[in-house]
Amino acid sequence: MATFKSDAEIQKDVLSELAWDSRVSPADIGVTVSNHIVTLTGTVSSWAKKLAASEAAHRVTGVLDVANDIGVEVVEGPQSTDTAIAAAVRQALTWDVFVPEDLIQSTVEDGVVRLRGTVEYPAQREDAARAVKNLAGVRAVDDRIVVKRADVSKGVLRAAIQSALERQALRDANRVQLEVDEGRVTLTGTVHSWAERQAVVGATRGTRGVDVVIDELQISP
């Protein structure tokens, strides 16, 4: 019979993972756990650090979900003005070879970067957000880029998910249910680990014609 972690054990492991991750300072972050759901609190100096803390918590075995309530308080300086951030955003989009920068527009207000435009693939939208999320002065990224729609069938998605799991030597996708509505895909059901969850979501996002992925998967070791 599998041994499941208690909330106290998960809290200890999340704190250890935060201490191990050089991108964040565990002294700035509070961790509480209830029914295997982790809540992160505190204040960090960048949007990237907030995301890094969430990623660290998700890496811990036994964590089902993470509520990221960490605040972002940017240190004021020449790089923190909206004008400077906007210039840095355009440069980051231009220099990233995976981003069709001519198709993307940005607006910066109080350190929040809003991205707009229309791209061919979901990965291009994600690459654009990735390119700007680590820039100094960015408090948050509001990604409103849309993906051109194409017909998406459950059969194609099922095959993509199955292939992704097989490539990673993980288990099958029979416990995953799909609801497809004009490019909007909702994933429900259970997977065995965070790695499987990422594989399923990644395979879905990587399928042509998928615009939005609603991840309602549950982890059941």
Side-chain angles (χ1 to χ4, degrees):
M1 179 180 296
T3 300
F4 297 101
K5 291 182 181 179
S6 66
D7 286 344
E9 290 172 323
I10 291 174
Q11 182 187 40
K12 179 181 178 181
D13 287 348
V14 170
L15 288 169
S16 296
E17 189 69 17
L18 290 171
W20 176 84
D21 195 321
S22 61
R23 297 174 298 172
V24 297
S25 173
D28 297 332
I29 300 171
V31 179
T32 58
V33 184
S34 178
N35 296 321
H36 292 205
I37 298 174
V38 176
T39 299
L40 302 175
T41 57
T43 303
V44 294
S45 60
S46 71
W47 176 250
K49 291 181 179 180
K50 175 175 179 172
L51 297 183
S54 181
E55 292 169 1
H58 273 301
R59 288 196 297 267
V60 173
T61 303
V63 173
L64 297 181
D65 300 289
V66 175
N68 193 342
D69 290 335
I70 297 174
V72 177
E73 186 172 326
V74 176
V75 178
E76 296 298 330
Q79 292 180 313
S80 65
T81 67
D82 288 343
T83 299
I85 295 171
V89 166
R90 180 49 52 187
Q91 186 175 40
L93 295 175
T94 301
W95 279 77
D96 194 310
V97 297
F98 295 112
V99 177
E101 62 91 15
D102 56 318
L103 301 179
I104 298 171
Q105 301 81 46
S106 71
T107 302
V108 183
E109 184 176 355
D110 294 330
V112 177
V113 179
R114 293 182 176 85
L115 300 174
R116 298 178 183 271
T118 302
V119 296
E120 294 285 344
Y121 302 101
Q124 292 174 323
R125 177 178 59 194
E126 294 168 10
D127 286 334
R130 173 188 49 75
V132 303
K133 72 182 179 68
N134 294 335
L135 297 176
V138 172
R139 298 177 187 272
V141 177
D142 181 8
D143 187 354
R144 302 187 185 185
I145 297 171
V146 299
V147 180
K148 290 183 180 179
R149 289 185 176 178
D151 291 335
V152 183
S153 71
K154 287 187 179 181
V156 170
L157 285 174
R158 175 70 61 182
I161 292 171
Q162 188 67 54
S163 295
L165 295 179
E166 289 174 355
R167 285 194 300 272
Q168 299 188 32
L170 301 173
R171 306 180 195 183
D172 62 38
N174 292 333
R175 298 167 70 182
V176 176
Q177 290 80 51
L178 309 170
E179 291 297 331
V180 182
D181 181 16
E182 296 185 349
R184 187 184 188 91
V185 180
T186 302
L187 301 172
T188 57
T190 58
V191 291
H192 299 285
S193 67
W194 177 247
E196 283 194 7
R197 187 175 188 172
Q198 287 182 306
V200 171
V201 173
T204 306
R205 285 178 176 157
T207 302
R208 186 180 181 87
V210 173
D211 182 17
V212 178
V213 178
I214 308 299
D215 177 13
E216 296 182 357
L217 294 169
Q218 298 295 318
I219 299 174
S220 177

